[in-house]
Amino acid sequence: MPFSLLPKLIAPALPDLSPELLRGRGVKLLMLDFDNTIVPYTTNLPTERMERWLGEMLRSDIQICVVSNSHKDRVKIFCEKYGIPCVTHAKKPFSKGIRQCLSRFGMPREQCALVGDQIFTDTLGANCAGITSILVKAIDNHNIWLKLRHAAEMPFIFLARNRRIKT
């Protein structure tokens, strides 16, 4: 699959991805990064807006699955609480976790997307796996390393600026 650091779509935040928007793009399975995409690294509590979005997605015909590089139990505990399937230890940008998710759901790559806040893991992993990559703004770049990573991503965000969804 192609090596690309450019996301296919850019959205301000995960809740800006409505079932209608995803359906219109042929997405039937949405893989979700966890940290800084659903909740910040510093808490397991989603905002009210995120909680409403998760409920809306779980009631829709679009399947969701958390695909996280995390080794921490907080991801599994969160997913159990909300009834969301999950794959941890995903090793993004490598395809291990993405392939595991595709296998679990039996979906063709053309009907799948992965949304996350990092270009060098989420976007690259999705692109290399042949699924739609969706970049969202990180919820909270709370330390210097996250701020530096975001600065390194800025040229790619600029090059993909015309791929922003209209909200």
Side-chain angles (χ1 to χ4, degrees), residues 76-97:
K76 291 179 183 175
I77 292 167
F78 180 94
C79 289
E80 285 174 13
K81 177 181 178 183
Y82 288 93
I84 302 169
C86 73
V87 173
T88 56
H89 304 79
K91 300 185 188 288
K92 297 173 290 183
F94 302 104
S95 63
K96 175 190 175 265

Side-chain angles (χ1 to χ4, degrees), residues 41-106:
Y41 284 98
T42 55
T43 183
N44 289 344
L45 299 174
T47 62
E48 285 182 33
R49 181 176 182 227
M50 185 65 71
E51 208 162 25
R52 281 192 309 273
W53 182 84
L54 288 169
E56 180 183 9
M57 291 304 294
L58 289 168
R59 289 186 300 276
S60 79
D61 58 337
I62 296 179
Q63 298 181 71
I64 60 173
C65 180
V66 169
V67 177
S68 173
N69 284 351
S70 180
H71 295 253
K72 297 180 181 170
D73 288 337
R74 66 191 281 268
V75 177
K76 291 179 183 175
I77 292 167
F78 180 94
C79 289
E80 285 174 13
K81 177 181 178 183
Y82 288 93
I84 302 169
C86 73
V87 173
T88 56
H89 304 79
K91 300 185 188 288
K92 297 173 290 183
F94 302 104
S95 63
K96 175 190 175 265
I98 295 169
R99 281 185 289 119
Q100 194 176 340
C101 185
L102 289 168
S103 176
R104 179 187 287 184
F105 286 88

Side-chain angles (χ1 to χ4, degrees), residues 9-22 25 30-32 37 49 53 56-57 62 113-116 134-136 165 167:
L9 292 173
I10 300 176
L14 188 55
D16 293 313
L17 300 172
S18 68
E20 296 78 26
L21 174 93
L22 295 166
R25 296 192 171 265
L30 185 63
M31 298 177 206
L32 311 170
T37 299
R49 181 176 182 227
W53 182 84
E56 180 183 9
M57 291 304 294
I62 296 179
L114 186 147
V115 59
I134 304 172
L135 181 69
V136 293
I165 64 163
T167 56

Side-chain angles (χ1 to χ4, degrees), residues 7 9-11 115-119 123 133-137 153 157:
L9 292 173
I10 300 176
V115 59
D117 67 300
Q118 295 187 46
I119 286 181
T123 297
S133 56
I134 304 172
L135 181 69
V136 293
K137 186 176 185 291
E153 293 174 341
I157 294 168

